[in-house]
Amino acid sequence: MKVAVVILNWNGQKLLEQFLPSVIQCSQDADVYVVDNASTDDSIAFLKSSYPKISIIQNTENGGYAKGYNDALKHVEADVFCLLNSDVEVTKNWLEPIIETFQKDTKTAIIQPKILDFKKKNHFEYAGAAGGFIDKFGYPYCRGRIFNTIEEDQGQYNDSTDIFWASGACFFIKKDVFYELNGFDEHFFAHMEEIDLCWRAKNKGFDIKYVGASKVYHVGGATLKNSSSKKTFLNFRNSLFTLTKNANGFVLGKIIVRLILDGVAAAKFLVELKPKHSLAILKAHFSYYRQLPRVLAQRKQIKHKNKYYNKTSIVYEYFVKKKSNFNSL
């Protein structure tokens, strides 16, 4: 099984200097590619001088995560793509459990490893932790992370198990499945496009797994800071895109509830003296409404929609019932 590790870069020379060595050292059985999203720093010059054997794919524009990978993967020959953020440190033998799982279970299409925090290595990392799930109203959460509460890694998620979505920070997908799903939705630009892709995979009957025997460390927020209102905008808007496109049942009712809950989130940001984030949520909704006809057309193309949630509302579980640990849900 041929694996290609594909790292998307945008003005990330310092990240490449820091994290590329671990990828090369620990991925000798895979081909390593760096995809440059029209950087304006010296990333390309650095790669050519320091890693002349690395395959470089140069995109002509910064189309974000979604278009960046869609464009680049056309030039990658492999059975499995590993889409790896540039701020991830991998570990020895990280690929072997992933490959073994793909080989044992032919229905498995997408896999995520254990993702720990590079800056606090005994804790899970926000973006993916030990595998993702989603509630009735489209809010994502993880084993090891619910909203902003992060669990310590005490071996509680050392298993291999089915999950609903895998993190784009370290995302393994079979090449043929990626193209059967027509890749990422480029309207997303960045954030939650991997959840949308996983949801479409689930609706087609594919399995998505978490493999705890594989471990990586993720910095998180290295390209777009967690404090950025642009990230808030993308997360809230793209979450609505994802829910509308893929959810089974009466989606209008879910959107009405989301409108109320997102309004509460905007008010919370105001109380916390973060007006830019409140405005970002408002802008996210207006952007969603403008694009609603297109999203509904995409929804019609998805013929079979599975039930997708285990918990009706993670908001209720977390904020009302005060359950902040995944195993307590």
Side-chain angles (χ1 to χ4, degrees), residues 201-244:
K202 283 283 190 181
N203 280 337
K204 277 187 170 284
F206 292 110
D207 289 341
I208 301 170
K209 291 194 181 298
Y210 162 82
V211 176
S214 175
K215 179 172 63 178
V216 301
Y217 296 95
H218 182 216
V219 174
T223 303
L224 191 60
K225 300 297 182 185
N226 292 328
S227 59
S228 168
S229 60
K230 183 177 181 181
K231 177 172 282 193
T232 299
F233 167 81
L234 289 169
N235 277 328
F236 276 82
R237 186 199 65 177
N238 293 350
S239 177
L240 289 167
F241 283 168
T242 304
L243 181 67
T244 306

Side-chain angles (χ1 to χ4, degrees), residues 170-325:
C170 187
F171 186 94
F172 290 84
I173 184 168
K174 290 179 178 177
K175 178 182 179 179
D176 57 349
V177 175
F178 184 81
Y179 287 113
E180 183 177 341
L181 297 170
N182 296 315
F184 293 112
D185 185 339
E186 296 179 8
H187 295 96
F188 282 59
F189 185 77
H191 295 291
M192 296 197 68
E193 64 281 279
E194 80 271 42
I195 298 179
D196 171 70
L197 188 72
C198 287
W199 203 330
R200 288 185 278 129
K202 283 283 190 181
N203 280 337
K204 277 187 170 284
F206 292 110
D207 289 341
I208 301 170
K209 291 194 181 298
Y210 162 82
V211 176
S214 175
K215 179 172 63 178
V216 301
Y217 296 95
H218 182 216
V219 174
T223 303
L224 191 60
K225 300 297 182 185
N226 292 328
S227 59
S228 168
S229 60
K230 183 177 181 181
K231 177 172 282 193
T232 299
F233 167 81
L234 289 169
N235 277 328
F236 276 82
R237 186 199 65 177
N238 293 350
S239 177
L240 289 167
F241 283 168
T242 304
L243 181 67
T244 306
K245 283 173 62 177
N246 301 295
N248 68 323
F250 182 59
V251 75
L252 177 60
K254 298 177 176 72
I255 297 303
I256 291 171
V257 174
R258 273 297 301 270
L259 175 64
I260 296 167
L261 293 174
D262 287 2
V264 172
K268 183 173 181 289
F269 277 127
L270 277 179
V271 171
E272 295 171 350
L273 302 179
K274 298 176 181 178
K276 288 184 178 179
H277 293 272
S278 298
L279 184 59
I281 294 175
L282 183 63
K283 288 180 177 178
H285 274 260
F286 279 117
S287 177
Y288 164 73
Y289 300 138
R290 283 195 302 271
Q291 299 183 62
L292 187 55
R294 173 190 59 76
V295 180
L296 289 174
Q298 290 178 306
R299 177 178 174 81
K300 287 182 181 179
Q301 295 172 4
I302 300 173
K303 302 303 180 184
H304 182 74
K305 302 178 181 71
N306 292 317
K307 182 182 176 183
Y308 56 92
Y309 58 91
N310 294 322
K311 295 297 175 183
T312 300
S313 174
I314 194 65
V315 174
Y316 180 77
E317 293 284 333
Y318 183 84
F319 289 103
V320 178
K321 298 181 74 175
K322 304 299 182 182
K323 294 184 177 181
S324 58
N325 182 292

